[in-house]
Amino acid sequence: SRFETCWPALMKDSHGVIIIFNPELPSHLKEIEMWYSCFVQQQPLLDSQCLLVAHHKPGSAGDTENLSLDHPLNKLKLIHSNLEDDPEDVRMEFMKYFKSIITFINESREREEMSIIS
């Protein structure tokens, strides 16, 4: 991809990864495996630091129930966004995700400080 040379700069010191994709495009389902591999596994980040967002375009059938992802993507938190229907739900999920990332950062900072002290 054209932007691969930028990836190391994007990944540096990142604490979380949100992957947004169109579940109706088979090519996207293949691509998210690559994004997950590069941006989560190779860093390495924990699966809990990654959020998958299946974004359904307005007017799309959007079968949210039957989207089954293969291992290892099926271990990740997956939310469906359809801004026509319920943007509030998506906002709540984003807030939960950001809170978990902030908690994670604070806990790792505390662990670092403790290891310096001891």
Side-chain angles (χ1 to χ4, degrees):
S1 138
R2 287 173 298 179
F3 301 111
E4 275 182 52
T5 49
C6 308
W7 289 359
L10 287 172
M11 290 190 243
K12 186 175 167 12
D13 299 332
S14 64
H15 295 289
V17 174
I18 298 174
I19 300 173
I20 301 173
F21 64 100
N22 180 344
E24 285 146 51
L25 292 180
S27 63
H28 273 207
L29 297 177
K30 274 275 148 271
E31 279 173 34
I32 54 177
E33 289 177 21
M34 185 260 308
W35 290 111
Y36 172 75
S37 166
C38 293
F39 280 84
V40 180
Q41 288 179 312
Q42 288 175 31
Q43 288 224 65
L45 293 179
L46 300 172
D47 285 341
S48 59
Q49 290 169 274
C50 182
L51 178 65
L52 291 181
V53 182
H55 185 65
H56 301 270
K57 288 184 172 171
S60 66
D63 184 1
T64 58
E65 300 308 309
N66 295 322
L67 177 62
S68 61
L69 298 171
D70 294 334
H71 184 82
L73 297 173
N74 59 4
K75 299 181 300 180
L76 304 175
K77 171 83 175 153
L78 168 69
I79 65 171
H80 291 271
S81 76
N82 177 341
L83 300 179
E84 278 184 324
D85 281 359
D86 207 343
E88 191 54 30
D89 264 12
V90 176
R91 203 173 71 86
M92 293 302 293
E93 290 292 351
F94 267 106
M95 293 308 290
K96 266 196 283 191
Y97 171 71
F98 286 126
K99 280 182 184 152
S100 73
I101 295 294
I102 290 165
T103 304
F104 178 83
I105 294 169
N106 289 339
E107 284 171 357
S108 24
R109 195 169 290 147
E110 279 167 25
R111 276 196 302 274
E112 270 173 37
E113 286 167 4
M114 291 310 288
S115 67
I116 291 166
I117 292 166
S118 57

